[in-house]
Amino acid sequence: MSFTGPSMASGGKTASKAFDFGKTVVVKPKGKHQATVVWLHGLGDNGSSWSQLLETIPLPNIKWICPTAPTRPVTLFGGFPSTAWFDVEELSEDAPDDLEGLDAAATHVANLLSTEPADIKVGIGGFSMGAATALYSGACFSVGKYANGNPFTANLSAVVGLSGWLPCAKRWGKELEGVDGAADRAAALPILLCHGKADDVVSHKYGEKSSHALSSLGFKDVAFKSYSGLGHYTIPQEMDEVCAWLSSKLGLDASSSSLK
């Protein structure tokens, strides 16, 4: 998740691995459909578990798409297979980034959003590794392409990351400088980061550094929320803030949420 060291280069690979993604659960909007958000689970989890929570929150105008990551060997677990959006070697600032896995996950997310009607706003959110994938997707949207050079096709209106981090933080500066319109897309993309101060899995400082990194890269609409005593999980207060933020940034009907 390198903030200070170089990210792992793609090494000029011409062949890519095939990733078999798991089951996708869709939570249909209970009111008028105004937005669609892909929500990405954390390491070892699945889309179904988050869909049960998202079903209960007061945002009836959002359709939630909850995919499940591929089951793959994870270096952090000594090669033991687990559902993971990409491979991780360690949770530290100088760990290399799995660009191939990140590109595959972000491409899968964009494909899930590709059939949404043109008048529907779309966003990406996630928890832990899912948050990292969401933030990576937001950066790819801003530069207009993935690390492998393929075009990023989804037109994002919001990104939410809970208890996560920004992958490849060092590479985005050069990417944003070299693409027409990238700075404007970055400046206009709303991003919400939330992190517990007692998180013992993904340290709070990684979320804080990710927020600072995004701001320094020209993402001008970044909000960072900290929660005292919160570990590596979510709480109603945090989800309440996510609801209120999404209602505001996606321009949902006032009746779509009881939160002000």
Side-chain angles (χ1 to χ4, degrees):
M1 61 177 69
S2 175
F3 291 103
T4 56
S7 299
M8 182 170 63
S10 59
K13 294 179 182 177
T14 55
S16 60
K17 300 174 185 175
F19 295 98
D20 294 323
F21 291 86
K23 180 182 178 181
T24 296
V25 180
V26 175
V27 179
K28 296 180 180 180
K30 298 176 179 64
K32 178 184 177 183
H33 184 199
Q34 294 181 298
T36 296
V37 177
V38 173
W39 192 270
L40 306 172
H41 62 77
L43 179 63
D45 203 356
N46 58 70
S48 178
S49 65
W50 273 95
S51 71
Q52 295 172 40
L53 172 62
L54 296 171
E55 180 85 48
T56 67
I57 66 175
L59 290 175
N61 302 120
I62 290 183
K63 177 171 82 173
W64 300 94
I65 302 177
C66 304
T68 297
T71 297
R72 52 183 295 164
V74 176
T75 305
L76 181 67
F77 295 159
F80 189 81
S82 179
T83 51
W85 299 109
F86 52 92
D87 191 25
V88 283
E89 293 188 12
E90 57 181 295
L91 294 177
S92 71
E93 294 186 28
D94 54 359
D97 293 298
D98 174 19
L99 291 178
E100 188 176 15
L102 282 160
D103 277 351
T107 300
H108 184 64
V109 170
N111 288 341
L112 290 172
L113 292 170
S114 65
T115 58
E116 293 302 299
D119 62 335
I120 298 299
K121 293 183 178 180
V122 300
I124 305 173
F127 175 79
S128 191
M129 173 181 274
T133 305
L135 292 171
Y136 181 81
S137 298
C140 290
F141 160 72
S142 297
V143 301
K145 60 183 179 181
Y146 303 97
N148 61 19
N150 292 337
F152 186 89
T153 54
N155 184 24
L156 299 182
S157 294
V159 174
V160 178
L162 310 183
S163 306
W165 69 94
L166 172 67
C168 315
K170 294 290 287 184
R171 80 185 305 269
W172 296 118
K174 183 180 294 185
E175 293 285 339
L176 286 162
E177 290 173 3
V179 177
D180 288 341
D184 290 339
R185 286 191 293 272
L189 179 64
I191 299 176
L192 173 64
L193 302 179
C194 301
H195 217 114
K197 290 185 176 181
D199 194 327
D200 58 355
V201 177
V202 179
S203 174
H204 178 268
K205 69 179 180 181
Y206 294 147
E208 197 167 35
K209 286 186 176 182
S210 294
S211 174
H212 293 155
L214 287 164
S215 295
S216 67
L217 288 168
F219 290 85
K220 299 184 182 302
D221 191 357
V222 179
F224 182 70
K225 304 282 188 179
S226 295
Y227 300 87
S228 297
L230 178 63
H232 197 64
Y233 49 88
T234 189
I235 54 175
Q237 179 191 353
E238 184 179 48
M239 293 309 298
D240 286 350
E241 295 207 56
V242 170
C243 287
W245 187 87
L246 283 172
S247 293
S248 172
K249 297 301 180 181
L250 295 177
L252 303 180
D253 288 345
S255 61
S256 68
S257 175
S258 60
L259 302 164
K260 302 299 181 184

